[in-house]
Amino acid sequence: MRTDLESAIQTLRRHAWDDEIQWPQVERWLNNFQGEVVDREDEQLYALYALTRFMYFGRSLVREMLRSLYRDHFEAPMKQRLRRANNNTRDVQLLENLYQNELHTTRFLGVGNPAESGAHLLYYFRQENHLPKNLFADLSSAFEPQARNGQTVGFVPRDKKVKRYVFFDDLVGSGTQVSQYLSGCLPSIRAEAPNVELAYMCLFGTKKGMERANEADLFDGRAQCLFFLDDSYKAFEKSSRYFQSSPTWFSLDIMRRIAEHYGAKLWANDPLGYRDGQLLLSFSHNTPDNAPPIFWDENFYVQWAPVFLRYSKIY
Amino acid sequence: MLIEEFKRIYSRDRVPVQVDFRKLVSWLKVGDQLTHQIHPYPAKLLPHIAHFFVHCNMHGGEKYVLDPFCGSGTVALEASLAGHNALVADANPLAILLTRVKTTPYNLEQLREATKRIVERAARLRTAPEILVVNSEKWYAQDVKRRLEILLRSIKEYDDAEIKEFFLVCFSATARKVSRIDPAIAVPVMLRTKDAFSEQQNLRILERLAWVEAARPLDEFFRICHANISRVEAANKVNPGRKVVNVVSNDARSLSSDKIPPAGVPLVITSPPYGTAQKYVRSSSLSLNWLELVPPHRLAEFEGHSIGREHSPAYRNEISAQALPSAYESLLVEVSRTNILRAHITRQYLLELKVALKEMHSKCAPGGRIVIVIGNNEVCGHTLFTNEYISQAMEDLGCQDELVLVDQIKSRGLLTKRNKTASVIAKEFIMVFKKAK
Ligand SMILES: C[S@@+](CC[C@H](N)C(=O)[O-])C[C@H]1O[C@@H](n2cnc3c(N)ncnc32)[C@H](O)[C@@H]1O
C-alpha cells in the first residue's frame, strides 16, 4: 500500500508538480509523524495519502492560470463591453484602440503585504500578459491620504485619469485579509471618486472569501475568481471532496485527528490552517497559510520539516 | 489676538479663564492627525494646546521651543511644523524615539521601498534571537511572539539608521496591537470580558481576543507602516522643511547647556508628569523591552530615575528633608496617616518638580515665556494642588504669571482607577509665566 502511494507521489512530482518537490523532502516530512496519534506506520500512510490529494500548482500551471485570468476575466469582457457601446462594431482596429485606452487607464494593485504571494504573483501576471510596468501600483502610491475636520483620514486617487483599479490576489480564503486591508479605504475612495471603478480578481476564492469580497464596503459585487472553492474544499469535513473515493482502510476521522494533533503543536490556535482554512492547496511560489500548517510550517520551537514552502524566493 | 484678550481678562479677574481648546483651535484642521498618532503614549498633551502657543508669537526673533518633558513629542512636532527649532528632553528613551521620528521629514519613496524590503525579508527569515519581554507568555501566543522576533530582526538589519527608527516605532505599535493587552488602558492589563460590561462590549472584546490569537504580525506591521507613511506625508505637506528635534538631555533637572542657545530659549512649553498618578514606565514597558531600550530586570531601577514614579525604591532614599510650603507640609501629614509611602512619594515628586522648574527657568531667555500644562490629582483622598505649587515655585524664581487657563479635559484620562488612591484628573491648567527681563 505504501509503495503504491509512494509511486503515486513520484508520478505527481514528476508530471504535475514540475519536479519542484524533491523526494528526500517528502521523506523528511513523513518523518515528522512519529506515532503520537495512531501507529507511526499508519500516520505516515495517512500523511502520504493526504499528499496525493493535495492540489499543488507548479510554475507552468500558475502561469497558464494568470493568462487565462487576464484574457477571460479582463480583456474579453472589456472588449465585449466596448463593442456593445460602439454599435457592435466589427472594426478590429478600432476595438483594439479603444481597448488600449481602457487598459491604460487601469491600475493593477496587490492586496496585502509585499511578502504575500499576491504581490509576487502580480509580477508574473504582468510578465505573462506583456503588460507595461506603469499599469501596476500599490495602495500608497495610488491613493493620497486626506484629513477632514481634523478627524477622518480618507483616500483619494492621485492620478485623476485612472478610471479603474483592479486589486489582485492569488487566493481569497477567509476574506479577513482583504477586508482588513481595504474595508477602511475603499468606501472613502468611492465617496471621493464615485466614477472610479473598483474591482477584484483572484485565482482561487472560497465561498466565504468571495462573499466577503463582494460586500458593499469592499467590491460590491465586482469581485471574481478563476476557481471557486465551495465548502467541499474543506479537507477534513464530512463533505470533503479531497477524500471522496478513499480506500477502505482510510478514515476521515483519523486523518483529521492526525492533522489536528500535529497542527496544534505548530499553530496552536489554527491547527488546520488560518481561520480553520483546511485547504489542501499550494503554489510553487507560496503555500497559503489557509493550508494546514503540517504541510508548510517551519517551526522554531518544534522540530518540523515542511513539505511545501511558504515564501520561497521569487523564481 | 485671542491671547491678548485672555491676558486682559486674567489680569482683571485674576481667576483662571475657562477655555475649551478643542473648540478654540477648531481651525486646526489637520493638526491632530499628521504624525501625532504614530504610536500610543500615556497622557499625551492635546495637540491644540501646543499648536495654540507655538503660533501665539509671544516670542520674537529666534525661534526655539523647549519641552523638557517631551513625552511623545506633541509640543516638538507642533513647534517643528511651525518652523521652530524644537529642543527636548525626556527620561524615557521611547519618548525620545517617538519625538525624533515624528519630527523627521522622511522621504516617502524611501519609506515605501524600505517597508517592502523589510517585510519581504521578514517573511523569509526563519530564525531570530529571542527578545526578553516582561510577562511575554501572558501577552503573546508563542507563535505570535516568534513572528515578532523575526520581524524585529529584519528591521534591525536595515542599514539606514534614521529610517530604521521609523520602523522601530511601527514595530512597537504592532507589538502592542497583536498582544492580549487591553488597548483602552495605558498600562499593560489583560483584555477580559466583565460582567459589568454590556453584552455588546463583551462581544467586541471576545472578537478582539479571537483576532489577536490568529493575528499575523507581519500583516499588521505592514498596515501600520502604511498608515504611518500617510501621516508623514500629511506632515510633509504642512512643512516639508521642518527640522528634526534636538535632544538636550534625558533629565529635565539638568539640561545640557551646549545645545541650548546661550541667550536662552524664548519659549518653553511642557507638561510635567502628574503627581503619583501616571505610570509612564509601566505603560511603555512592553515597548522598552521589545526595542531593547530597557531590559525587563532593569525596569524598576529605570523607573527610579523619573519624576512622578509609582514606587519609591530604597536605593534612592536620599530623600531631602527640605521643607515644602506649609500647605503641602500639612497635606503630607494628613496623607501619611493613611499611607506613609504615598506621602513619601509625593514629597519626592514635589521637590524634584521644583528642581526641574528651576532648570527650565534658568534656560529660558529673559522676557521669555514658560507655558506649563498640569492637572491636579488626589492623594489618599486629598487633592494635591500641583498648579498652585507650581505657581508658587515660579513666583519664588521671580516669574510673573501672565495668564492661567483651565480646560475641562477628559482625554487624558489614561489613568487606571484600580489604584484607589489616585483618581481621575478632571481639569487641566495651562499656566503662562513670563521671565523677568
Ligand atoms: C505628561 S508626560 C508628557 C506628555 C507629552 N507632553 C506628550 O504630549 O506626549 C510627562 C513626561 O515626563 C517624563 N519624565 C519623567 N521624569 C522625567 C525627568 N526626570 N526628566 C525628563 N522627563 C521626565 C515622562 O517620561 C513623561 O514622558
Side-chain angles (χ1 to χ4, degrees), chain A residues 140 150-151 180 289 298, chain B residues 29 32-33 112 126 211 216:
Chain A
S140 85
Q151 286 302 327
Q180 279 179 354
D289 61 6
E298 286 174 89
Chain B
K29 282 278 190 301
D32 57 355
Q33 292 293 329
R112 288 187 193 119
R126 291 287 161 244
W211 178 86
R216 293 192 267 202

Side-chain angles (χ1 to χ4, degrees), chain A residues 112-116 119-120 138-141 143-153 155 158 174 176-177 180-181 265-270 274-275 289-290 296-302 309-314, chain B residues 26 28-33 108-109 112 115-117 119-124 126-130 141-143 145-147 149-150 180 210-216 218-220 222-223 226 229-231 233-234 237:
Chain A
N113 81 54
E116 287 293 340
H120 283 180
D138 57 49
L139 263 189
S140 85
S141 63
F143 304 104
E144 188 178 342
Q146 298 282 302
R148 210 159 288 134
N149 306 325
Q151 286 302 327
T152 44
V153 178
F155 292 89
R158 287 183 205 266
S174 61
T176 331
Q177 181 170 5
Q180 279 179 354
Y181 271 103
K265 292 185 163 189
L266 301 169
W267 225 18
N269 297 299
D270 277 317
Y274 186 67
R275 306 263 140 141
D289 61 6
N290 313 73
W296 53 263
D297 201 79
E298 286 174 89
N299 212 287
F300 181 89
Y301 299 109
V302 186
L309 286 185
R310 241 172 100 61
Y311 304 126
S312 58
K313 286 237 190 304
I314 296 189
Chain B
S26 65
L28 181 59
K29 282 278 190 301
V30 287
D32 57 355
Q33 292 293 329
L108 301 170
E109 260 331 293
R112 288 187 193 119
T115 310
K116 212 168 149 226
R117 247 179 68 191
V119 168
E120 283 181 344
R121 185 162 160 66
R124 281 194 212 102
R126 291 287 161 244
T127 57
E130 191 186 348
Q142 209 181 33
D143 187 73
K145 169 108 192 299
R146 171 180 60 123
R147 282 162 202 250
E149 284 162 350
I150 288 175
R180 300 180 188 121
W211 178 86
V212 161
E213 290 314 307
R216 293 192 267 202
L218 201 55
D219 261 14
E220 201 46 45
F222 180 66
R223 267 196 297 279
H226 180 254
I229 291 173
S230 298
R231 291 177 172 127
E233 182 174 9
K237 267 192 226 152

Side-chain angles (χ1 to χ4, degrees), chain B residues 41 43-45 67-74 90-92 95 250-253 271-273 280 305-307 412:
Chain B
Y41 196 80
K44 277 189 185 174
L45 184 67
D67 182 354
F69 294 106
C70 71
S72 67
T74 309
D90 201 287
N92 188 334
N250 61 2
D251 190 343
R253 288 164 292 183
S271 55
Y280 302 100
H305 298 294
S306 47
I307 299 179
R412 291 170 88 193

